[in-house]
Amino acid sequence: MYFHVDLDAFFASAEELDHPEYRGRPIIVGAAPGRRGVVSTCSYAARGFGVHSAMPINEAYRLCPQGVFLPVRMERYLGLSRQVFDTFNNFTPDVYGVSIDEAFLDMRGTEALFGPAPEAAKKLKAAVRERTGLTISVGVAENKLLAKLASAKSKPDGLLVVELGTETAFMDSLPLTKLWGAGEATQARLRALNVRSVRELRECTLDFLQASLGQASGLFLYQASRGIDPGIHSEDTPTRSRSTERTFEYDVSNAESLCSVLLEMSEELMFSLFKEELYARTVCVKIRYGDFSTVSARVTLDHTVASIKELYAVGERLFREKRLAEAPVRLLGLGLSGLRADKVEQGELFPQGDGRAERLERAVFGLKKSGRAELKIARTLKPPQGENDDD
DNA sequence: TCTGGGGTCCTAGGACCC
DNA sequence: TCTGGGGTCCTAGGACCC
């Protein structure tokens, strides 16, 4: 028996908690209106105006100019999230966090302590509310897919149990558009196939779905329509990639400026790998142009990337090879994938340097971590506020 | 109103090996 | 004169999720 637990409009609720004067008003957490960015989370009052997550912030402003627009305060939300997860841990040792505001709880064997599932769920809701003042929605079912869909259906401040034997009926109660894993593209393809409900989806053969939508998607939808969990969240999967990207306030054409950003991102990524003692061989650069078209280039080395210096050199090469000359760039991203816990050394045939850069950078990282000094690569320093950088 | 950032997984085609 | 079959690794792009 799984619980899926989801905090209601988490970031917006957190702001409401800290600013009681905003209670009940349309709260929109995300980018600042007038700038490039999207809505991260909005309150139910804001949803009444048609605002929703991932909507461009300027569109949200147009729909709801009277809204309370607030920036994301991730530190604060992380603190609250920890308290909520602490509470989960008082109910079961088997808590699988999916994101900052969402978790699965394996509640098998807890009946003696907390009673049957509906009672346990009520106790959990009360405990979270008492500890943090936040409301959660809980879905209870025999598998994660059903539990997840149940909590979503029950929102906000909801509780929904999918009883054994009612799985198919529950699936049929959902609009096809609410099916987890079937986004905009799949919805359009299903419409083209004349499939308009979960029931109609279930009437399709596996062969038909796989021929129409691909092996994996076909099997996924075939199982999901029957209330079978295709494996929506496997436990304990190690991190496979790390990346960072920046969307610029205005498109940037100057290659030197773009390369400075690459260097900044190289530093950020390598420090994060140093910190977690991870290694990677594959470097990926992502470029989004002013027209939103997006390309990427990647390369897998025969050894793990050792230093900021090396990551930057590889990233810059990929960038210069891939970028259309002078085309304005809206977004630049850098990533590392194939993460692993062990190092792959340089081949002996073409050794690159003697590891000096790596030793230096790890020493700098050590200083930074201990709080004894903050060292930055000069080129990544920002010019002082109010001065232009013409010279 | 233009469309964030950090992830995971899948697909198709090519290179290469046996 | 037409060119197998299976497997692995890699790249680029896409779909999807929170």
Side-chain angles (χ1 to χ4, degrees), chain A residues 50-62:
Chain A
V51 177
H52 59 78
S53 293
M55 171 183 276
I57 199 72
N58 293 315
E59 185 181 358
Y61 187 78
R62 190 177 54 80

Side-chain angles (χ1 to χ4, degrees), chain A residues 209-339:
Chain A
L209 290 175
Q210 291 190 311
S212 314
L213 302 158
Q215 290 295 304
S217 296
L219 178 61
F220 182 95
L221 293 173
Y222 182 85
Q223 293 180 318
S225 66
R226 287 162 175 72
I228 299 167
D229 182 3
I232 62 168
H233 284 288
S234 43
E235 286 145 29
D236 299 326
T237 47
T239 312
R240 300 188 201 286
S241 69
R242 174 107 352 144
S243 66
T244 185
E245 61 189 48
R246 314 240 198 285
T247 292
F248 306 117
E249 197 52 45
Y250 301 98
D251 297 350
V252 178
S253 297
N254 182 278
E256 293 312 306
S257 310
L258 291 165
C259 285
S260 292
V261 175
L262 264 184
L263 180 58
E264 196 180 289
M265 295 192 293
S266 302
E267 186 181 43
E268 190 181 316
L269 281 179
M270 279 315 288
F271 276 174
S272 118
L273 260 66
F274 288 165
K275 186 171 176 184
E276 289 169 60
E277 291 177 53
L278 289 170
Y279 298 89
R281 285 167 57 213
T282 304
V283 179
C284 180
V285 165
K286 173 172 163 184
I287 304 167
R288 174 168 290 153
Y289 295 109
D291 66 358
F292 216 73
S293 62
T294 307
V295 294
S296 64
R298 77 191 69 178
V299 66
T300 300
L301 309 176
D302 64 356
H303 59 275
T304 49
V305 178
S307 62
I308 300 168
K309 195 176 165 187
E310 185 182 19
L311 174 56
Y312 173 71
V314 175
E316 189 197 355
R317 177 167 64 77
L318 289 172
F319 171 74
R320 292 198 188 272
E321 284 167 6
K322 189 74 182 185
R323 184 190 176 205
L324 298 171
E326 304 309 310
V329 172
R330 176 193 177 92
L331 169 152
L332 190 58
L334 184 67
L336 286 162
S337 57
L339 261 40

